[in-house]
Amino acid sequence: MDAEFVNLTPENLADEHLCCIIRTKKPHPGVEAKRQWLADRLKEGHVFRKLQAKATVFIEYAPLESAWVPVVGDNYLYLYCLWVTGSPKGSGYGKSLMEYCLADAKKQGKSGVCMLGAKKQKSWLSDQSFAKKYGFEVVDTTESGYELLALSFDGTVPQFAPNAKRERIESEELTIYYDLQCPYIHQYIEKIRQYCEENDVPASLVLVDTLQKAKELPCAFNNWAVFYKGEFRTVNMLGVPQIEKLLAK
């Protein structure tokens, strides 16, 4: 099955599709933003492995030290995304991708692999029940119900950075922290920006554009995080209807 997969490299990055939003002709701003983000990350050991087909079947992970998340630990890999959607589901691709990641971690002499989860499965997060079948366990939690899952090879465990457990900011206005890792982020953030401008909604849309900013965030983060009235609300990407519902609370 390995022959069916390809890893993105600086050499093939411009020519390979990025799974989530597949375009054959017209450039998509979210895809191009992700492509540029990946261009900078691949040299840091970031891995994007995908099925060689026009499908959403891929895994994305990086050394924890260079992963854009407020999680700390020694010698771990951080698993951002593992997705198999549509007709490829049930074909064993998820198993193959997870086993590739775990084998890669062991080959590199890593202490384990970790990922973001929650007490109740959240949209935009990889399937934690699937991960737990491989031995991932909850090793840290936040008051808002997010969990850090880890599969440890040597008994050591990572943890949320202390700042990630703060889950409060001084500003009362709608505040969204985001990076450009997910191709969907561009369209979501632009629609929210337009809605807030047209409806005079005070908002801060904060681009997380460095590793340091990501590590210092005051909440759990995978590539997106929402605050309102000073409180952390979700890592789910929210559209305008969900934003309207949040603002009505």
Side-chain angles (χ1 to χ4, degrees):
M1 187 174 284
D2 282 349
E4 297 182 63
F5 293 92
V6 61
N7 286 23
L8 296 185
T9 67
E11 292 71 32
N12 68 14
L13 178 59
D15 301 319
E16 295 286 346
H17 74 73
L18 301 184
C19 291
C20 291
I21 300 177
I22 300 171
R23 293 288 184 271
T24 55
K25 296 180 181 179
K26 187 177 179 181
H28 186 285
V31 172
E32 297 315 308
K34 161 108 186 182
R35 208 181 294 278
Q36 183 56 55
W37 189 89
L38 277 173
D40 296 328
R41 303 285 78 73
L42 290 176
K43 58 186 123 178
E44 301 167 352
H46 188 106
V47 172
F48 188 108
R49 181 173 177 81
K50 70 187 187 77
L51 188 68
Q52 288 189 301
K54 287 185 178 179
T56 303
V57 179
F58 72 99
I59 192 169
E60 198 168 352
Y61 60 87
L64 180 57
E65 292 81 359
S66 59
W68 286 33
V69 290
V71 176
V72 294
D74 294 324
N75 204 34
Y76 262 74
L77 291 181
Y78 181 83
L79 200 169
Y80 287 104
C81 301
L82 172 54
W83 290 106
V84 179
T85 62
S87 59
K89 289 189 73 171
S91 301
Y93 293 132
K95 179 175 183 289
S96 181
L97 289 169
M98 176 64 86
E99 290 178 352
Y100 178 90
C101 174
L102 300 183
D104 192 16
K106 291 176 180 177
K107 181 180 178 181
Q108 294 184 49
K110 297 296 184 182
S111 295
V113 180
C114 61
M115 61 183 281
L116 183 63
K119 288 183 179 178
K120 183 179 180 181
Q121 179 69 44
K122 303 284 189 181
S123 302
W124 301 99
L125 292 182
S126 300
D127 186 345
Q128 60 204 40
S129 63
F130 178 74
K132 287 177 179 178
K133 293 178 181 177
Y134 287 86
F136 281 77
E137 298 177 338
V138 177
V139 296
D140 204 359
T141 60
T142 70
E143 287 188 6
S144 61
Y146 286 93
E147 299 176 334
L148 183 63
L149 307 179
L151 174 57
S152 177
F153 302 149
D154 62 8
T156 65
V157 293
Q159 60 188 7
F160 285 115
N163 44 279
K165 293 190 174 186
R166 194 178 313 142
E167 300 191 313
R168 286 200 60 82
I169 58 176
E170 290 186 9
S171 175
E172 294 281 309
E173 68 185 23
L174 175 67
T175 302
I176 299 176
Y177 296 96
Y178 69 98
D179 65 26
L180 300 177
Q181 180 181 8
C182 175
Y184 285 103
I185 287 175
H186 180 272
Q187 64 195 54
Y188 273 76
I189 209 73
E190 289 308 313
K191 286 180 180 178
I192 292 170
R193 190 191 312 277
Q194 182 179 353
Y195 170 82
C196 291
E197 289 175 355
E198 292 177 351
N199 292 277
D200 296 321
V201 175
S204 294
L205 307 180
V206 183
L207 175 61
V208 178
D209 55 3
T210 68
L211 174 64
Q212 181 178 351
K213 288 180 183 178
K215 291 293 187 188
E216 294 176 353
L217 285 170
C219 60
F221 183 79
N222 211 42
N223 51 42
W224 178 280
V226 180
F227 282 79
Y228 184 53
K229 294 183 178 178
E231 296 182 5
F232 173 55
R233 303 301 176 127
T234 183
V235 300
N236 288 10
M237 246 174 275
L238 302 181
V240 168
Q242 292 80 24
I243 290 293
E244 288 179 323
K245 186 176 180 181
L246 176 63
L247 295 174
K249 292 182 177 179

